[in-house]
Short mmCIF file of all heavy atoms in Angstrom, two decimals:
data_model
loop_
_atom_site.label_atom_id
_atom_site.label_comp_id
_atom_site.label_asym_id
_atom_site.label_seq_id
_atom_site.Cartn_x
_atom_site.Cartn_y
_atom_site.Cartn_z
N ASN A 682 -11.76 -8.88 -8.80
CA ASN A 682 -11.03 -9.43 -9.93
C ASN A 682 -9.98 -8.40 -10.36
O ASN A 682 -10.24 -7.19 -10.32
CB ASN A 682 -11.97 -9.73 -11.09
CG ASN A 682 -12.93 -10.86 -10.76
OD1 ASN A 682 -12.53 -11.90 -10.25
ND2 ASN A 682 -14.21 -10.65 -11.02
N THR A 683 -8.83 -8.90 -10.78
CA THR A 683 -7.71 -7.99 -11.05
C THR A 683 -7.22 -8.13 -12.49
O THR A 683 -7.42 -9.18 -13.13
CB THR A 683 -6.55 -8.27 -10.10
OG1 THR A 683 -6.12 -9.63 -10.24
CG2 THR A 683 -6.94 -8.01 -8.66
N ASN A 684 -6.60 -7.07 -12.98
CA ASN A 684 -5.93 -7.12 -14.27
C ASN A 684 -4.65 -6.31 -14.16
O ASN A 684 -4.58 -5.36 -13.38
CB ASN A 684 -6.83 -6.60 -15.39
CG ASN A 684 -7.28 -5.17 -15.18
OD1 ASN A 684 -8.16 -4.89 -14.38
ND2 ASN A 684 -6.65 -4.23 -15.90
N TYR A 685 -3.65 -6.71 -14.96
CA TYR A 685 -2.33 -6.09 -14.88
C TYR A 685 -1.76 -5.84 -16.26
O TYR A 685 -2.02 -6.60 -17.20
CB TYR A 685 -1.36 -7.01 -14.13
CG TYR A 685 -1.74 -7.26 -12.70
CD1 TYR A 685 -2.49 -8.38 -12.35
CD2 TYR A 685 -1.34 -6.39 -11.69
CE1 TYR A 685 -2.85 -8.61 -11.03
CE2 TYR A 685 -1.69 -6.61 -10.37
CZ TYR A 685 -2.45 -7.73 -10.05
OH TYR A 685 -2.80 -7.96 -8.74
N ALA A 686 -0.95 -4.81 -16.35
CA ALA A 686 -0.15 -4.62 -17.54
C ALA A 686 0.87 -5.75 -17.62
O ALA A 686 1.35 -6.24 -16.60
CB ALA A 686 0.57 -3.27 -17.48
N ASP A 687 1.20 -6.17 -18.83
CA ASP A 687 2.15 -7.27 -19.01
C ASP A 687 3.49 -6.96 -18.34
O ASP A 687 4.14 -7.86 -17.81
CB ASP A 687 2.38 -7.54 -20.50
CG ASP A 687 1.19 -8.22 -21.15
OD1 ASP A 687 0.33 -8.75 -20.42
OD2 ASP A 687 1.13 -8.21 -22.39
N SER A 688 3.86 -5.71 -18.33
CA SER A 688 5.17 -5.33 -17.81
C SER A 688 5.29 -5.50 -16.30
O SER A 688 6.41 -5.50 -15.77
CB SER A 688 5.48 -3.87 -18.18
OG SER A 688 4.49 -3.00 -17.65
N VAL A 689 4.17 -5.64 -15.60
CA VAL A 689 4.24 -5.75 -14.14
C VAL A 689 3.68 -7.07 -13.62
O VAL A 689 3.73 -7.33 -12.41
CB VAL A 689 3.51 -4.58 -13.44
CG1 VAL A 689 4.03 -3.24 -13.96
CG2 VAL A 689 2.00 -4.67 -13.62
N LYS A 690 3.17 -7.91 -14.50
CA LYS A 690 2.60 -9.18 -14.06
C LYS A 690 3.64 -10.00 -13.31
O LYS A 690 4.79 -10.11 -13.74
CB LYS A 690 2.09 -9.97 -15.26
CG LYS A 690 0.72 -9.54 -15.75
CD LYS A 690 0.27 -10.37 -16.93
CE LYS A 690 -1.08 -9.89 -17.46
NZ LYS A 690 -1.49 -10.62 -18.68
N GLY A 691 3.22 -10.56 -12.18
CA GLY A 691 4.12 -11.37 -11.37
C GLY A 691 4.95 -10.56 -10.40
O GLY A 691 5.61 -11.13 -9.52
N ARG A 692 4.95 -9.23 -10.55
CA ARG A 692 5.75 -8.39 -9.65
C ARG A 692 4.86 -7.47 -8.80
O ARG A 692 5.20 -7.16 -7.66
CB ARG A 692 6.71 -7.52 -10.45
CG ARG A 692 7.71 -8.32 -11.28
CD ARG A 692 8.78 -7.40 -11.89
NE ARG A 692 8.22 -6.42 -12.82
CZ ARG A 692 8.37 -5.10 -12.69
NH1 ARG A 692 9.06 -4.60 -11.66
NH2 ARG A 692 7.85 -4.29 -13.58
N PHE A 693 3.76 -6.99 -9.37
CA PHE A 693 2.86 -6.07 -8.68
C PHE A 693 1.57 -6.78 -8.31
O PHE A 693 1.09 -7.66 -9.04
CB PHE A 693 2.51 -4.88 -9.57
CG PHE A 693 3.63 -3.92 -9.85
CD1 PHE A 693 4.95 -4.20 -9.52
CD2 PHE A 693 3.36 -2.70 -10.47
CE1 PHE A 693 5.97 -3.31 -9.78
CE2 PHE A 693 4.36 -1.79 -10.74
CZ PHE A 693 5.68 -2.12 -10.40
N THR A 694 0.99 -6.37 -7.19
CA THR A 694 -0.29 -6.91 -6.74
C THR A 694 -1.20 -5.77 -6.29
O THR A 694 -0.80 -4.97 -5.42
CB THR A 694 -0.11 -7.90 -5.59
OG1 THR A 694 0.77 -8.96 -5.99
CG2 THR A 694 -1.45 -8.50 -5.18
N ILE A 695 -2.36 -5.70 -6.88
CA ILE A 695 -3.35 -4.71 -6.47
C ILE A 695 -4.35 -5.38 -5.52
O ILE A 695 -4.70 -6.55 -5.70
CB ILE A 695 -4.07 -4.09 -7.69
CG1 ILE A 695 -4.95 -2.91 -7.26
CG2 ILE A 695 -4.86 -5.13 -8.46
CD1 ILE A 695 -5.51 -2.12 -8.44
N SER A 696 -4.79 -4.64 -4.52
CA SER A 696 -5.79 -5.15 -3.59
C SER A 696 -6.61 -3.98 -3.07
O SER A 696 -6.24 -2.82 -3.24
CB SER A 696 -5.12 -5.91 -2.44
OG SER A 696 -4.28 -5.05 -1.69
N ARG A 697 -7.73 -4.32 -2.44
CA ARG A 697 -8.59 -3.26 -1.91
C ARG A 697 -9.13 -3.68 -0.55
O ARG A 697 -9.32 -4.86 -0.28
CB ARG A 697 -9.74 -2.96 -2.86
CG ARG A 697 -10.73 -4.08 -3.10
CD ARG A 697 -11.67 -3.76 -4.26
NE ARG A 697 -12.44 -2.55 -4.03
CZ ARG A 697 -12.98 -1.81 -5.00
NH1 ARG A 697 -12.83 -2.17 -6.27
NH2 ARG A 697 -13.68 -0.72 -4.70
N ASP A 698 -9.38 -2.68 0.28
CA ASP A 698 -10.01 -2.89 1.58
C ASP A 698 -11.21 -1.95 1.62
O ASP A 698 -11.05 -0.75 1.85
CB ASP A 698 -9.01 -2.57 2.70
CG ASP A 698 -9.56 -2.88 4.09
OD1 ASP A 698 -10.79 -2.91 4.25
OD2 ASP A 698 -8.76 -3.05 5.01
N ASN A 699 -12.38 -2.50 1.37
CA ASN A 699 -13.57 -1.66 1.31
C ASN A 699 -13.93 -1.05 2.66
O ASN A 699 -14.54 0.01 2.72
CB ASN A 699 -14.75 -2.46 0.77
CG ASN A 699 -14.61 -2.79 -0.71
OD1 ASN A 699 -13.87 -2.11 -1.44
ND2 ASN A 699 -15.27 -3.84 -1.14
N ALA A 700 -13.54 -1.70 3.74
CA ALA A 700 -13.81 -1.16 5.06
C ALA A 700 -13.01 0.12 5.32
O ALA A 700 -13.42 0.98 6.09
CB ALA A 700 -13.51 -2.19 6.13
N LYS A 701 -11.85 0.20 4.64
CA LYS A 701 -10.98 1.38 4.83
C LYS A 701 -11.03 2.32 3.64
O LYS A 701 -10.29 3.31 3.60
CB LYS A 701 -9.54 0.92 5.06
CG LYS A 701 -9.35 0.14 6.36
CD LYS A 701 -7.89 -0.22 6.56
CE LYS A 701 -7.69 -0.95 7.88
NZ LYS A 701 -6.28 -1.33 8.11
N ASN A 702 -11.87 2.00 2.65
CA ASN A 702 -11.95 2.83 1.43
C ASN A 702 -10.57 3.05 0.82
O ASN A 702 -10.24 4.16 0.39
CB ASN A 702 -12.60 4.18 1.74
CG ASN A 702 -14.09 4.07 2.03
OD1 ASN A 702 -14.68 3.00 1.90
ND2 ASN A 702 -14.69 5.17 2.42
N THR A 703 -9.79 2.00 0.76
CA THR A 703 -8.40 2.12 0.34
C THR A 703 -8.05 1.02 -0.67
O THR A 703 -8.46 -0.13 -0.51
CB THR A 703 -7.45 2.05 1.54
OG1 THR A 703 -7.77 3.12 2.45
CG2 THR A 703 -6.00 2.18 1.11
N VAL A 704 -7.29 1.42 -1.68
CA VAL A 704 -6.74 0.47 -2.65
C VAL A 704 -5.22 0.52 -2.52
O VAL A 704 -4.64 1.58 -2.28
CB VAL A 704 -7.22 0.79 -4.08
CG1 VAL A 704 -6.77 2.17 -4.54
CG2 VAL A 704 -6.76 -0.28 -5.06
N TYR A 705 -4.60 -0.63 -2.69
CA TYR A 705 -3.15 -0.77 -2.51
C TYR A 705 -2.51 -1.27 -3.79
O TYR A 705 -3.14 -1.95 -4.60
CB TYR A 705 -2.85 -1.75 -1.38
CG TYR A 705 -3.48 -1.40 -0.06
CD1 TYR A 705 -4.68 -2.00 0.33
CD2 TYR A 705 -2.89 -0.48 0.80
CE1 TYR A 705 -5.28 -1.68 1.55
CE2 TYR A 705 -3.47 -0.15 2.02
CZ TYR A 705 -4.66 -0.76 2.38
OH TYR A 705 -5.25 -0.45 3.59
N LEU A 706 -1.23 -0.96 -3.92
CA LEU A 706 -0.42 -1.54 -4.98
C LEU A 706 0.90 -1.98 -4.36
O LEU A 706 1.72 -1.14 -4.00
CB LEU A 706 -0.17 -0.55 -6.12
CG LEU A 706 0.55 -1.15 -7.33
CD1 LEU A 706 -0.35 -2.17 -8.04
CD2 LEU A 706 0.98 -0.05 -8.31
N GLN A 707 1.05 -3.29 -4.21
CA GLN A 707 2.31 -3.84 -3.71
C GLN A 707 3.23 -4.05 -4.91
O GLN A 707 2.86 -4.75 -5.86
CB GLN A 707 2.06 -5.17 -3.00
CG GLN A 707 3.33 -5.86 -2.51
CD GLN A 707 4.02 -5.09 -1.40
OE1 GLN A 707 3.37 -4.59 -0.48
NE2 GLN A 707 5.34 -5.00 -1.48
N MET A 708 4.39 -3.43 -4.86
CA MET A 708 5.33 -3.49 -5.97
C MET A 708 6.61 -4.16 -5.50
O MET A 708 7.29 -3.63 -4.60
CB MET A 708 5.62 -2.08 -6.49
CG MET A 708 4.37 -1.31 -6.88
SD MET A 708 4.73 0.28 -7.64
CE MET A 708 5.50 1.13 -6.27
N ASN A 709 6.91 -5.30 -6.08
CA ASN A 709 8.12 -6.05 -5.75
C ASN A 709 9.04 -6.12 -6.96
O ASN A 709 8.63 -5.87 -8.09
CB ASN A 709 7.75 -7.46 -5.29
CG ASN A 709 6.88 -7.47 -4.05
OD1 ASN A 709 6.99 -6.61 -3.18
ND2 ASN A 709 6.02 -8.47 -3.96
#
């Protein structure tokens, strides 16, 4: 489940890959 600051909603996407122990932030 994700949450975002209002200033980035609709532009940024957070995701995670538990197999790679990695979290991502896609910023558009």
Side-chain angles (χ1 to χ4, degrees):
N682 293 313
T683 59
N684 59 283
Y685 297 94
D687 287 344
S688 59
V689 306
K690 280 181 183 175
R692 299 188 298 123
F693 291 10
T694 303
I695 188 171
S696 62
R697 64 191 300 157
D698 185 337
N699 290 338
K701 295 182 177 180
N702 289 354
T703 301
V704 62
Y705 303 97
L706 186 67
Q707 177 67 43
M708 305 186 295
N709 299 328

